[in-house]
Amino acid sequence: MKFSEILCQFGDAATNHSLTSNPDHDPEITGVGAIDEASNGTLSYVEGAKFGSFVGKTNATALILPQDEKLQVLAQERGIVWIATADPRLLFAKAIALFYQPYRPIPEIHSTAVIDSTAKIGSDVYIGPHAVIQQGVEIGNDAIIHPNVVIYPDVQIGDRTILHANCTIHERSRIGADCVIHSGAVIGAEGFGFVPTRTGWFKMEQSGYTVLEDGVVVGCNSGIDRPAVGETRIGHNTVIDNLVQIGHGCQIGAACAIAGQVGMAGGVQLGNRVILAGQTGIVNQVKMGDGSMTSAQTGIHSDVAPGEVVCGSPALPYKLYLKVAAVYGRLPDMYQSLKQLQRKLKNSDD
């Protein structure tokens, strides 16, 4: 694919580029690659000035650059064609899609799939080997059900949703359109609901619903639990990494990003565009406002205001956390100073 053809695919996002000043230098681009691993014929990107030094040593033939004139001149001097944009990473993500499309099976129902007679299957659906679809299930058009998927009774799957191999969808789950559920994920399993009694734990039946709105992505081996009553809801366009636990009755807003090994107890509420870094833990019933964010391994025990960034365990506001962290590193010296002061006071008393 010629560099000029890639520019055409990008449309208005690629109005600033090297062909404007040098239209004859229009090389063939055969793929994409990381800036430090790129080879001749590949397209790569530089996200900002922090990584600008790579422009002087990369083997890439084409680069997506920030709006930085110095980097553009350097690329030009090295014979690298370039595109400048306000968001290089986003444009690079679109470039990958020009050279790679994930595997998509041809619509068919495999002979080994077990499908209850009451299930309703849309048009152009793929159902792979040994998939199990139980009574009352509804699957939308163009959906993909990979091998060994198990769908319990009374489940609804929206159009174009993809269920990867070995994921399990429990009863009373409602999954919207254009969702992706990765291998090993479990949607709608019973929430952790037990009532203590003198003779042990009494199981509270989980009779509620688990709802994933349109465009939700759930990573491998993650679990989203069904509540006792009401619903657990994941807002549209929210993305969930691998090994995430979302407890019963949680309400997750739209366009949230939840990294690996995050754990939420029951009843947690996240606003829209909340970002949870890896291994964040949230106790039950906590609310996090729109646009709030955590750093890795944050422990949240109380509500977080909209737009606030919190760190540490227990969680502290970001600026306060930095001050505490600075003091923490000085604790050994402070301890020695305290011991010396105690000795002086003791000697003075003697």
Side-chain angles (χ1 to χ4, degrees):
M1 183 183 300
K2 288 288 188 180
F3 180 64
S4 57
E5 294 177 284
I6 294 174
L7 293 177
C8 290
Q9 294 288 332
F10 290 156
D12 293 341
T15 55
N16 185 12
H17 53 79
S18 61
L19 294 188
T20 303
S21 59
N22 192 2
D24 294 329
H25 186 31
D26 187 16
E28 188 77 19
I29 307 301
T30 57
V32 292
I35 186 71
D36 57 339
E37 299 175 352
S39 57
N40 185 43
T42 58
L43 167 69
S44 191
Y45 80 107
V46 173
E47 192 162 6
K50 177 181 177 182
F51 304 99
S53 62
F54 284 105
V55 178
K57 52 190 177 184
T58 185
N59 292 319
T61 296
L63 286 175
I64 300 172
L65 299 173
Q67 301 285 11
D68 186 321
E69 210 168 304
K70 291 181 180 178
L71 295 182
Q72 296 163 20
V73 170
L74 179 58
Q76 197 97 356
E77 290 174 348
R78 297 200 61 223
I80 300 172
V81 293
W82 54 267
I83 312 162
T85 179
D87 193 343
R89 190 163 182 253
L90 175 60
L91 205 61
F92 184 68
K94 294 179 179 180
I96 293 175
L98 299 178
F99 295 93
Y100 166 80
Q101 289 295 317
Y103 165 67
R104 185 177 182 88
I106 297 171
E108 66 169 353
I109 297 177
H110 196 273
S111 60
T112 62
V114 178
I115 304 174
D116 190 88
S117 61
T118 61
K120 297 179 181 178
I121 311 297
S123 61
D124 297 319
V125 170
Y126 169 79
I127 301 176
H130 305 291
V132 176
I133 300 173
Q134 298 186 12
Q135 60 265 32
V137 170
E138 297 180 14
I139 297 176
N141 301 327
D142 300 300
I144 296 176
I145 314 298
H146 281 286
N148 299 323
V149 169
V150 176
I151 305 177
Y152 280 62
D154 188 26
V155 168
Q156 296 174 7
I157 309 291
D159 296 343
R160 300 174 301 281
T161 283
I162 300 173
L163 305 183
H164 283 282
N166 301 305
C167 71
T168 304
I169 315 299
H170 284 256
E171 66 263 30
R172 299 186 172 222
S173 293
R174 305 288 184 260
I175 298 177
D178 300 301
C179 293
V180 179
I181 313 299
H182 284 281
S183 298
V186 179
I187 309 300
E190 292 182 339
F192 194 58
F194 296 89
V195 181
T197 71
R198 292 182 178 179
T199 57
W201 295 94
F202 182 84
K203 180 182 176 183
M204 179 182 292
E205 296 296 345
Q206 306 294 290
S207 68
Y209 292 82
T210 305
V211 181
L212 276 60
E213 297 180 3
D214 296 348
V216 170
V217 177
V218 181
C220 297
N221 298 318
S222 290
I224 302 174
D225 288 350
R226 185 173 80 246
V229 292
E231 62 182 29
T232 301
R233 179 173 288 268
I234 313 297
H236 72 273
N237 194 226
T238 282
V239 291
I240 299 168
D241 198 2
N242 302 335
L243 298 168
V244 171
Q245 162 62 26
I246 297 178
H248 54 276
C250 288
Q251 304 292 309
I252 311 300
C256 295
I258 302 172
Q261 298 186 339
V262 165
M264 299 181 211
V268 168
Q269 296 183 36
L270 304 186
N272 300 325
R273 304 177 307 281
V274 173
I275 298 176
L276 302 180
Q279 296 188 335
T280 293
I282 309 179
V283 303
N284 61 306
Q285 307 300 324
V286 161
K287 298 178 182 179
M288 295 186 64
D290 293 350
S292 55
M293 187 183 306
T294 72
S295 66
Q297 297 187 326
T298 298
I300 300 179
H301 300 81
S302 58
D303 292 352
V304 177
E308 188 169 16
V309 179
V310 293
C311 313
S313 183
L316 295 172
Y318 176 66
K319 290 183 178 179
L320 177 58
Y321 174 80
L322 290 179
K323 294 178 181 179
V324 171
V327 171
Y328 184 80
R330 293 162 48 203
L331 283 178
D333 293 337
M334 295 169 66
Y335 175 66
Q336 292 301 323
S337 297
L338 177 60
K339 287 177 66 177
Q340 291 174 10
L341 181 59
Q342 288 174 328
R343 281 195 294 267
K344 288 180 180 180
L345 290 173
K346 186 176 183 301
N347 292 336
S348 175
D349 291 342
D350 291 344

